[in-house]
Amino acid sequence: MNNVFKLSFIKKSPRVPFSELKLVKRKDGGFREHPSMFFKRRCLHKFTDMSLQDIAAFLDIEYAVMELFMEAKLAVDPVFAEKLSKGTNFCAATWLEIQRQYDEYIKQL
């Protein structure tokens, strides 16, 4: 029973000084999805047996606004991010960062 918690099989990678790290581009060209895709992938499963109207009501978001967000036709602003954070366990800063990354990606197209 004592040996169960020994994790000797885990190998630690060597420490590399920050100055020696290299910037490596993503294989997908830096593709970023709209924040609604993150919501669908990481949060939607938490709202089982709820319609989009129910989810919007739970998050205190108007149904029409939620519908636009789900269709990737609405950007996340600080107020919307705060409402999303209350029901998803992802802070408003996370939602705003995802939106920022998406906006930067769109500018490069």
Side-chain angles (χ1 to χ4, degrees):
M1 192 87 162
N2 294 352
N3 294 333
V4 173
F5 295 106
K6 290 185 179 179
L7 302 175
S8 60
F9 62 89
I10 296 177
K11 296 180 182 177
K12 293 182 180 180
S13 60
R15 298 271 180 191
V16 178
F18 188 72
S19 60
E20 294 179 17
L21 294 176
K22 296 177 185 174
L23 179 63
V24 178
K25 288 198 170 204
R26 293 169 50 119
K27 293 177 184 176
D28 61 6
F31 175 72
R32 295 289 191 260
E33 295 178 322
H34 187 270
S36 64
M37 296 303 293
F38 180 83
F39 181 83
K40 291 173 187 175
R41 204 174 49 250
R42 302 289 300 271
C43 305
L44 201 55
H45 71 278
K46 297 174 185 175
F47 301 103
T48 55
D49 300 326
M50 290 178 79
S51 68
L52 189 57
Q53 281 183 313
D54 295 337
I55 295 170
F58 177 77
L59 296 174
D60 194 27
I61 299 170
E62 291 181 30
Y63 174 71
V65 172
M66 189 67 179
E67 198 170 37
L68 287 172
F69 173 70
M70 295 301 280
E71 294 171 359
K73 296 179 182 176
L74 179 75
V76 175
D77 63 11
V79 174
F80 193 72
E82 194 63 41
K83 289 182 179 186
L84 286 172
S85 71
K86 289 181 181 174
T88 62
N89 293 332
F90 290 100
C91 67
T94 299
W95 290 107
L96 292 170
E97 177 61 17
I98 295 168
Q99 182 66 50
R100 186 198 65 76
Q101 289 178 9
Y102 177 73
D103 291 343
E104 289 296 317
Y105 172 73
I106 293 300
K107 284 180 190 177
Q108 295 174 0
L109 294 181

